[in-house]
């Protein structure tokens, strides 16, 4: 009888360790919890404490449901998928306690901004996917606690500027995806902290020009840049910037020949890589014309001044040879 009781207790203990929300499927002793596309409007209860992968994608979670500390008991969680929901805001401290989390997917939601404290507890996070949202504002310090981040996806949002100080703590960031935003300006020191960046995607933004110093500050072993699909204003200065970038050994513009001009209208659709000589020739011709005009003007002024000087000298000499008025009465 004693053996039966012991076995029953053991069964209850093991069974309790494998609790699983009835809306979800659990695998490998409840360490993998699959709640994909179950029509959930809230984070389910009874998620096993030892869960390391939680997939909540494709549901109808909203800002009221993913509330502060909603997942704080999942201290072993390494992967969390909240993609394809209806999240509009990340409440402060919603990820408190998720100190083991390495991969967070928040893509295809309705996030409009990132608050400064929403992600600060994710000290182990290596991958963050925020693509396909409506993010216009990222508050200063929003990524401050993400010191282990290696991959940051902000593609398909509505960012208009890449500001300095945003990625100060991301020295280990390897991939930064910013394509399909509205970025028209990159501040000079925005990329300076990124010491291991290997891929920077800036395709399909609103860039018209660049500052070479912005990329010169990028001190990395090797970085591949993608910048086609922007409305580039092609002139000799833009060509000079790209020419300098191409000469920097650790910078590689992967799509240089696909970078096309948007303006001036005469060059619209033309490849910058194929038009560089014409751009600078036109500018050189203009400079030569202006220089020639200035030189002609200066020479003409000197000739006129010399003629005037000679005329004045002749008048003085003539006056010196003429008799004085009283001498005519002698």
């Amino acid at each position: 009888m004693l053996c039966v009781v012991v076995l029953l207790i053991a069964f209850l203990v093991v069974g309790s360790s494998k609790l699983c929300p009835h809306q979800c499927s659990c695998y490998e002793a409840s360490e993998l919890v699959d709640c994909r596309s179950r029509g959930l409007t809230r984070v389910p209860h009874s998620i096993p404490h030892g869960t390391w992968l939680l997939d909540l994608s494709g549901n109808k979670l909203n800002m009221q449901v993913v509330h502060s500390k909603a997942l704080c008991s999942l201290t072993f969680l390494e992967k969390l998928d909240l993609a394809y929901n209806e999240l509009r805001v990340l409440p402060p401290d919603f990820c408190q306690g998720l100190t083991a989390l390495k991969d967070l997917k928040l893509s295809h939601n309705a996030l409009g901004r990132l608050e400064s404290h929403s992600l600060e507890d994710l000290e182990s996070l290596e991958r963050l996917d925020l693509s396909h949202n409506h993010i216009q504002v990222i508050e200063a310090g929003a990524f401050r606690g993400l010191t282990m981040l290696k991959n940051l996806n902000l593609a398909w949002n509505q960012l208009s500027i890449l500001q300095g100080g945003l990625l100060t703590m991301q020295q280990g960031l390897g991939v930064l995806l910013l394509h399909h935003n509205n970025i028209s300006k990159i501040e000079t020191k925005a990329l300076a902290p990124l010491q291991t960046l290997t891929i920077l995607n800036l395709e399909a933004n609103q860039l018209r020009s660049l500052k070479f110093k912005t990329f010169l500050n990028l001190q990395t072993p090797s970085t591949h840049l993608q910048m086609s699909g922007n409305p580039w204003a092609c002139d000799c200065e833009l060509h000079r910037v790209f020419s300098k970038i191409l000469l920097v050994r650790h910078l590689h513009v992967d799509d240089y020949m696909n970078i096309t001009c948007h303006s001036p209208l005469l060059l619209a659709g033309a490849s910058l890589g194929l038009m560089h000589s014409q751009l600078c020739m036109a500018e050189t011709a203009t400079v030569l014309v202006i220089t020639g005009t200035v030189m002609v003007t200066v020479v003409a002024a000197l000739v006129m001044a010399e003629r005037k000087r000679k005329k004045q000298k002749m008048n003085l000499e003539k006056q010196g040879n003429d008799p004085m008025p009283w001498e005519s009465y002698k």
Side-chain angles (χ1 to χ4, degrees), residues 213-232:
K213 190 175 181 180
T214 301
F215 294 91
L216 188 63
N217 286 332
L218 192 57
Q219 299 297 318
T220 60
S222 179
T223 301
H224 291 264
L225 309 172
Q226 289 107 35
M227 292 187 284
S228 61
N230 284 279
W232 298 107

Side-chain angles (χ1 to χ4, degrees), residues 143-186:
F143 300 137
R144 178 175 48 210
L146 311 184
T147 57
M148 302 298 291
L149 198 62
K150 292 180 173 59
N151 188 308
L152 175 58
N153 190 347
L154 283 164
W156 295 93
N157 277 287
Q158 299 174 19
L159 298 172
S160 59
I161 183 172
L162 185 57
Q163 66 265 38
L166 180 65
L167 302 169
T168 304
M169 305 303 294
Q170 280 67 55
Q171 290 91 346
L173 190 67
V175 177
L176 177 57
L177 305 179
L178 293 163
H179 52 284
H180 290 89
N181 275 274
N182 296 320
I183 298 173
S184 59
K185 180 182 179 182
I186 304 174

Side-chain angles (χ1 to χ4, degrees), residues 53 69-70 74 78 81 92 160 164 189 206 216 246 269 316 318:
L53 187 155
K69 303 180 182 179
L74 304 179
E78 294 186 11
D81 193 339
S160 59
K189 295 184 178 180
Q206 294 298 316
L216 188 63
L246 291 170
L316 289 173
K318 184 178 180 182

Side-chain angles (χ1 to χ4, degrees), residues 64-276:
Q64 287 81 19
V65 175
V66 186
H67 53 79
S68 179
K69 303 180 182 179
L71 304 166
C72 64
S73 64
L74 304 179
T75 54
F76 295 97
L77 194 66
E78 294 186 11
K79 295 184 178 183
L80 174 60
D81 193 339
L82 290 167
Y84 292 96
N85 278 286
E86 299 174 1
L87 301 175
R88 297 190 295 277
V89 173
L90 294 179
D93 304 325
F94 95 95
C95 57
Q96 184 174 356
L98 301 181
T99 54
L101 195 66
K102 295 182 179 181
D103 191 334
L104 174 59
K105 295 181 180 178
L106 290 163
S107 62
H108 295 89
N109 277 284
L111 299 173
R113 64 186 295 123
L114 292 181
E115 308 289 343
S116 59
H117 301 294
S118 296
L119 302 169
E120 66 179 354
D121 293 312
L122 302 178
E123 58 190 41
S124 299
L125 197 67
E126 297 179 0
R127 297 176 61 89
L128 176 59
D129 187 352
L130 289 160
S131 64
H132 295 273
N133 277 281
H134 310 303
I135 300 172
Q136 296 182 355
V137 177
I138 300 177
E139 290 188 359
F143 300 137
R144 178 175 48 210
L146 311 184
T147 57
M148 302 298 291
L149 198 62
K150 292 180 173 59
N151 188 308
L152 175 58
N153 190 347
L154 283 164
W156 295 93
N157 277 287
Q158 299 174 19
L159 298 172
S160 59
I161 183 172
L162 185 57
Q163 66 265 38
L166 180 65
L167 302 169
T168 304
M169 305 303 294
Q170 280 67 55
Q171 290 91 346
L173 190 67
V175 177
L176 177 57
L177 305 179
L178 293 163
H179 52 284
H180 290 89
N181 275 274
N182 296 320
I183 298 173
S184 59
K185 180 182 179 182
I186 304 174
E187 293 187 353
T188 305
K189 295 184 178 180
L191 304 173
L194 308 180
Q195 300 175 7
T196 59
L197 191 67
T198 58
I199 298 176
L200 173 60
N201 195 328
L202 289 163
E203 294 176 322
N205 277 281
Q206 294 298 316
L207 294 169
R208 294 176 56 84
S209 61
L210 290 175
K211 292 182 179 179
F212 174 60
K213 190 175 181 180
T214 301
F215 294 91
L216 188 63
N217 286 332
L218 192 57
Q219 299 297 318
T220 60
S222 179
T223 301
H224 291 264
L225 309 172
Q226 289 107 35
M227 292 187 284
S228 61
N230 284 279
W232 298 107
C234 291
D235 55 19
C236 196
E237 179 58 28
L238 183 66
H239 165 63
R240 288 194 186 105
V241 171
F242 273 102
S243 295
K244 290 177 182 178
I245 291 175
L246 291 170
L247 289 174
V248 178
R249 182 175 300 178
H250 65 273
L251 298 179
H252 315 279
V253 184
D254 293 343
D255 55 355
Y256 180 57
M257 297 307 296
N258 293 327
I259 293 176
T260 56
C261 305
H262 183 266
S263 63
L265 185 60
L266 185 63
L267 299 178
S271 169
L272 176 65
L274 298 176
M275 294 298 298
H276 65 276

Side-chain angles (χ1 to χ4, degrees), residues 309-323:
R309 187 187 66 79
K310 289 182 178 179
K311 186 175 181 181
Q312 290 176 346
K313 182 178 179 181
M314 290 174 63
N315 290 337
L316 289 173
E317 290 176 350
K318 184 178 180 182
Q319 291 176 5
N321 294 330
D322 289 342

